Amino acid sequence: MAPIPISLFSLPLVLLLGSVLTAPMSGPPLPLDPALSAVAPSECLLYASSAGVATAESQSPNQTEQLYAKPEVRAFIKGLRDQLIVGMQRTAQGDRTGQIITAELPKLLGALLHRPLALFVEDLTLSDDQLEMRAALVLNAGDRRGELESSISNLVDLALEQGLPIGSMQHQGSTWNVMRMSMQVPEIRWGWHKDYFIFAVGDGVADDTIDRLTRGDAPAWLDALRDGDTIVRESTLCHVDIEGLLSRLQPQLQREQVWPILEKLGLTSLQSFERRAGFDRLGCTSQAKLKIEGQRQGLLAFILDRQLSDNDLRLIPKRVMIAAAVRFDLADAWKNMLRLGEEFDPRGVEMVETNVDLVEEKLGFHLEDDLIGSLDDVWTAYMPEGDLMSAWVGSALAVKVKDAPRLRVAIEALVNNARAKLPQGDTGLQLSDADYEGQTIYTARFVGQPIPISPAWCVTDDWCFFGLSPQTVRDLISRDDKPSFTEIDEVADVFASRDAPTALVYVDTPNLVRAAYPFVQMGASMLAPQLKRQGIDVDPSILPSSHAIVPHLRPFVGTMIDTAAGPELRSQHALPDGNGAMALLPLTFVWGRSVSVSPATAGSRNLNNMKQIALAFHNYADVHGKFPANIYDDDGNALLSWRVQLLPYLEQQALYDRFRLDESWDSEHNQPWSEVVLEVFSTPGGPTDGRTCYLALAGEETLFPGNEELTFRDVTDGTSNTIMFVEASPDQAVSWSKPQDLEFDSTRPMRGIAGNPRGRFGMAMSDGSCRTVSIPFEEETMQRLATRAGGEVVGAP
């Protein structure tokens, strides 16, 4: 079946555009629909709901609702929506399919984002050749039923034209559509029950959903989830039974060898995730909970579990634009990271530790004990109040210290090492130090360069300070008697509550918007001409004024609180996070069969790898005055690949230093290092064991003629007309350190390439450009591109 064409806009782009519009089109939530709570099964793997969007009332005590009731804001939302829809429809002119989709999709998105809906996955079974699922989406269309029914009918007609196997049936006096792509996937059925649109996946799911919809009783777990928080009007809710999902997927994950990885990462101890958001008395609020069973291991060991005190925040000034504080033990995190690395790549951890030893030997102190181990676990950062052009220069970071003398020795050693390596002169980076109130402040100055910052740092008996100017560090040293961040009402309320946070983020939203809004207006004016060239005529003048927005904003306060069950994220803020978005996101799970790299993503990674290798090739040539080649012994025997020569130019100097260049790639010493898997040499979709498909074309007339030195002067055909290396077929892959490539045969120029299963292959040219081309590829063109001095004229491949 051919894909549905959509002129300039593809369907994913249109969907994304609708999602982007979610936030500005949000508003106060509608009252909860009890029927949508009742459709939740008594036990389910996933449930998500959106209350829909009500008309904003200007007399509401809620500041966010007052904001959405502003005539300027309402006009902006309507104008932006109308202009984007017109632009979408304009791009579809002459394309009937695109015209239908761009006409109907905004109506569907409007209903999904503005009307109450619920989505659930009751059960799921996944195997290599079978997918069984019980899931449904239920939408309360209300007065939009007629419009939505017409849009769905038009899209179904379009799908039938494209050959989709859609049938119809009568059920309880209504006509329902039915589709089943194969016996390996569940039946899909959609239709109406009164004003509720039901999209059901799985045999009998539609009937069961109607039964619960009619009965009207919410399950006990859903009532419990809604109990005991500060949300007055719920906008979105999400519940995921992670433990249940993992148990359903475990057999498949075991077969694909993913389950052991999840165990090592500690993710199999996750139980559930719950999130609820909506309006409180003054603005918006949200709360998310992650429940964990047993001891936290793997990635979960990094979850913050130490409480902050208000005294930990005393260095943050009261008048700030942005501030953050966290209890985080860097030494513990480092040990956890090495411990986790041992589970996956012991040899890699060994290399890291070896490199650390080498660095420590040069620096003259112990990184883990003297530097990392000297820091305590309280970190704070802030950007002061002011205009954006100057406030960021006053930004600062402070870390509590538990062994100041030891840390001072480490810092001094770092400074002295840096000074020894910096060039002397009247320009460039210069390091200086000065005394202030008995403390030494180090400053890095960019002399003779238009850089408006002078980073500075200092270690006191209790804290290590870092700022973008020495004035900021001096202010931190003498902060004791000045008003503190903890005097702000919203922050004081956090520490007055029962549970102290392990992390806190504060944003003075009114002042931040006031400072940033001129840049938003300028950005909109600059973006408008670019959108117009794409057929979307957006008038920047429809932006509401800052005076209409700022008075209704409140500061953002977000906290992370560790409980016995697991971490909780809580926030109070001024703007909703998109009433419909939370309910729509789980749709990706409903339709996703497994996690895999999409062709577009794989293609992007492939080109990125090739570009890195090509750049390293050029950097090597610039430094050595010749092309990289295989490494040979005195008898002319190839020992190591030209790819080994590129390691220092691929940020792999430490690995390069491990190789003995006078030994073969598979010698007793070199073999372990040859087995290291490097992502830059790993072709997406190809071998994952350290072999590479990035191979040169080897031969007398190519860029790799053997034990012979070449330079760019030898490429007389032109660097843009000569191949550097190609992406060979997976069956040709070799260890990246092995001196073996594709022996070029002019009579069979596509040998070793044409078998690429993707139907395309990558090609890196000598000028550093990279591209992918389709198979079959003209053999005559390949013959011309392979030679460096054949004198042929080559068209663009």
Side-chain angles (χ1 to χ4, degrees):
M1 181 184 67
I4 300 175
I6 309 180
S7 189
L8 178 65
F9 283 89
S10 65
L11 180 59
L13 181 57
V14 178
L15 287 169
L16 177 62
L17 188 58
S19 299
V20 170
L21 290 177
T22 301
M25 289 197 297
S26 294
L30 288 164
L32 286 181
D33 181 352
L36 293 182
S37 297
V39 300
S42 57
E43 293 183 6
C44 67
L45 302 178
L46 180 147
Y47 174 84
S49 66
S50 168
V53 180
T55 301
E57 299 290 342
S58 60
Q59 301 304 314
S60 169
N62 187 283
Q63 291 292 320
T64 303
E65 186 166 1
Q66 290 181 29
L67 170 64
Y68 280 108
K70 284 282 187 180
E72 270 191 81
V73 176
R74 291 204 308 268
F76 165 70
I77 292 171
K78 183 179 184 302
L80 180 62
R81 180 192 61 206
D82 292 346
Q83 290 177 19
L84 288 174
I85 290 174
V86 168
M88 290 163 54
Q89 293 172 342
R90 186 182 296 124
T91 63
Q93 290 179 359
D95 180 352
R96 178 176 172 277
T97 299
Q99 288 174 351
I100 293 174
I101 291 178
T102 54
E104 306 301 344
L105 201 60
K107 301 173 188 177
L108 291 175
L109 285 171
L112 290 172
L113 300 177
H114 288 84
R115 292 298 304 168
L117 63 82
L119 165 74
F120 68 81
V121 177
E122 185 176 4
D123 204 357
L124 174 70
T125 303
L126 186 65
S127 63
D128 289 332
D129 57 358
Q130 188 79 23
L131 171 64
E132 297 179 11
M133 179 184 291
R134 293 181 58 82
L137 181 146
V138 184
L139 172 71
N140 180 350
D143 57 5
R144 292 196 178 194
R145 171 169 177 173
E147 178 186 50
L148 191 58
E149 198 167 8
S150 174
S151 294
I152 293 172
S153 177
N154 290 336
L155 290 172
V156 167
D157 290 343
L158 180 63
L160 287 169
E161 292 177 12
Q162 300 294 325
L164 285 177
I166 299 176
S168 61
M169 61 174 289
Q170 292 297 313
H171 182 67
Q172 296 187 5
S174 300
T175 301
W176 286 63
N177 288 113
V178 181
M179 181 173 69
R180 191 164 201 150
M181 300 298 294
S182 73
M183 296 307 297
Q184 283 71 44
V185 296
E187 174 193 87
I188 300 174
R189 186 185 300 185
W190 63 93
W192 293 86
H193 175 75
K194 297 181 180 179
D195 286 334
Y196 291 91
F197 173 71
I198 300 174
F199 186 93
V201 181
D203 297 338
V205 173
D207 292 336
D208 293 345
T209 302
I210 292 174
D211 288 343
R212 291 195 296 270
L213 189 69
T214 306
R215 190 166 61 246
D217 295 325
W221 66 263
L222 185 53
D223 288 336
L225 197 158
R226 286 179 168 141
D227 187 34
D229 56 31
T230 60
I231 294 176
V232 178
R233 288 182 285 172
E234 178 186 298
S235 58
T236 61
L237 180 146
C238 181
H239 161 78
V240 184
D241 179 2
I242 302 175
E243 184 179 22
L245 276 171
L246 289 175
S247 67
R248 304 299 198 285
L249 299 174
Q250 183 175 357
Q252 181 72 6
L253 295 175
Q254 290 278 21
R255 283 192 292 272
E256 296 179 1
Q257 298 183 333
V258 175
W259 188 261
I261 296 175
L262 296 179
E263 287 184 314
K264 291 178 181 179
L265 293 175
L267 300 182
T268 55
S269 61
L270 293 175
Q271 289 186 299
S272 65
F273 171 78
E274 298 171 349
R275 184 183 186 275
R276 190 167 177 247
F279 278 26
D280 59 13
R281 187 174 60 86
L282 296 177
C284 302
T285 185
S286 67
Q287 181 170 318
K289 302 177 182 179
L290 183 66
K291 294 184 179 179
I292 304 169
E293 181 181 23
Q295 185 177 359
R296 301 173 187 179
Q297 298 177 336
L299 292 177
L300 303 184
F302 291 92
I303 292 178
L304 309 174
D305 59 0
R306 306 182 186 190
Q307 292 183 335
L308 287 162
S309 69
D310 53 359
N311 187 55
D312 293 328
L313 280 65
R314 63 182 178 80
L315 289 174
I316 303 176
K318 184 176 182 180
R319 302 176 67 85
V320 291
M321 192 101 72
I322 301 173
V326 63
R327 288 288 299 272
F328 175 72
D329 192 315
L330 185 60
D332 281 353
W334 174 255
K335 292 174 183 176
N336 287 334
M337 184 180 69
L338 293 179
R339 189 159 47 243
L340 188 59
E342 286 280 356
E343 295 286 342
F344 291 95
D345 186 8
R347 194 184 303 278
V349 172
E350 181 183 341
M351 287 181 59
V352 169
E353 292 176 335
T354 301
N355 288 331
V356 169
D357 290 341
L358 292 174
V359 170
E360 290 176 344
E361 186 177 339
K362 293 179 180 179
L363 293 177
F365 65 88
H366 198 281
L367 280 173
E368 187 172 345
D369 294 338
D370 299 337
L371 187 61
I372 298 175
S374 296
L375 301 175
D376 211 334
D377 62 353
V378 176
W379 300 67
T380 63
Y382 69 86
M383 184 172 78
E385 186 180 86
D387 64 274
L388 289 186
M389 296 298 290
S390 58
W392 68 277
V393 179
S395 300
L397 169 71
V399 187
K400 209 163 189 178
V401 172
K402 56 186 176 185
D403 193 339
R406 203 166 191 171
L407 183 59
R408 288 192 185 101
V409 171
I411 294 293
E412 186 176 1
L414 284 172
V415 170
N416 291 336
N417 272 278
R419 280 173 172 163
K421 294 181 179 180
L422 289 174
Q424 302 299 314
D426 296 331
T427 60
L429 180 64
Q430 295 183 3
L431 297 178
S432 61
D433 57 82
D435 290 337
Y436 177 75
E437 294 188 2
Q439 307 294 338
T440 300
I441 300 177
Y442 295 95
T443 304
R445 296 184 299 120
F446 300 92
V447 180
Q449 301 179 46
I451 299 177
I453 60 173
S454 297
W457 57 97
C458 174
V459 178
T460 69
D461 290 340
D462 299 314
W463 294 89
C464 177
F465 301 131
F466 178 85
L468 296 181
S469 70
Q471 293 80 7
T472 299
V473 174
R474 289 202 294 267
D475 183 62
L476 282 167
I477 292 174
S478 56
R479 273 220 52 81
D480 287 341
D481 58 346
K482 297 179 181 179
S484 169
F485 174 66
T486 55
E487 298 176 23
I488 298 174
D489 290 342
E490 292 83 358
V491 178
D493 289 344
V494 169
F495 289 96
S497 62
R498 179 172 53 87
D499 299 315
T502 61
L504 181 146
V505 176
Y506 171 87
V507 180
D508 186 350
T509 312
N511 279 324
L512 182 61
V513 170
R514 189 181 292 112
Y517 209 68
F519 298 97
V520 173
Q521 293 170 312
M522 287 188 293
S525 297
M526 295 170 62
L527 183 62
Q530 300 178 36
L531 290 174
K532 190 170 184 177
R533 286 193 291 271
Q534 301 295 325
I536 304 176
D537 191 5
V538 177
D539 182 3
S541 67
I542 66 174
L543 274 172
S545 66
S546 61
H547 301 294
I549 298 174
V550 172
H552 302 284
L553 301 181
R554 66 192 292 199
F556 169 91
V557 181
T559 60
M560 177 175 172
I561 297 171
D562 192 63
T563 71
E568 294 185 9
L569 299 176
R570 304 173 185 174
S571 67
Q572 293 179 322
H573 40 99
L575 297 175
D577 50 7
N579 289 341
M582 195 63 195
L584 291 176
L585 285 177
L587 282 170
T588 57
F589 169 78
V590 173
W591 296 111
R593 176 175 169 83
S594 62
V595 178
S596 61
V597 179
S598 68
T601 304
S604 176
R605 281 179 51 203
N606 190 33
L607 278 176
N608 184 58
N609 286 349
M610 291 195 297
K611 288 176 181 177
Q612 288 188 61
I613 297 170
L615 178 61
F617 184 100
H618 274 257
N619 288 339
Y620 179 97
D622 289 343
V623 172
H624 296 276
K626 62 181 180 180
F627 292 164
N630 292 338
I631 300 173
Y632 293 82
D633 62 16
D634 294 338
D635 296 326
N637 300 311
L639 302 176
L640 293 159
S641 167
W642 57 275
R643 292 174 287 268
V644 175
Q645 300 269 43
L646 299 185
L647 291 177
Y649 306 92
L650 293 168
E651 300 183 357
Q652 295 291 338
Q653 180 69 53
L655 180 57
Y656 178 79
D657 292 340
R658 297 293 176 272
F659 277 93
R660 291 178 181 171
L661 304 185
D662 58 350
E663 295 184 10
S664 173
W665 69 278
D666 57 353
S667 69
E668 183 178 354
H669 174 83
N670 286 341
Q671 179 72 43
W673 308 114
S674 296
E675 293 175 354
V676 173
V677 178
L678 296 177
E679 183 176 350
V680 71
F681 291 139
S682 300
T683 311
T688 58
D689 56 0
R691 291 182 295 154
T692 184
C693 293
Y694 300 128
L695 307 181
L697 298 180
E700 185 176 348
E701 299 300 324
T702 71
L703 226 60
F704 290 84
N707 195 3
E708 179 181 345
E709 293 184 358
L710 295 181
T711 69
F712 284 109
R713 291 191 299 273
D714 297 305
V715 189
T716 57
D717 281 352
T719 55
S720 62
N721 297 324
T722 305
I723 289 176
M724 180 187 296
F725 64 89
V726 297
E727 176 198 359
S729 304
D731 59 357
Q732 300 293 321
V734 300
S735 171
W736 59 267
S737 67
K738 185 177 182 179
Q740 178 180 327
D741 291 277
L742 284 179
E743 289 295 330
F744 180 68
D745 183 350
S746 60
T747 64
R748 299 167 59 202
M750 293 298 295
R751 185 183 64 83
I753 301 173
N756 196 310
R758 289 193 293 113
R760 300 181 65 84
F761 73 97
M763 179 189 299
M765 309 306 292
S766 300
D767 63 354
S769 63
C770 301
R771 68 205 72 177
T772 58
V773 293
S774 299
I775 300 172
F777 187 74
E778 290 188 8
E779 292 192 350
E780 183 179 355
T781 302
M782 178 59 76
Q783 289 172 347
R784 294 176 177 179
L785 293 174
T787 59
R788 66 180 185 273
E792 309 99 339
V793 177
V794 183

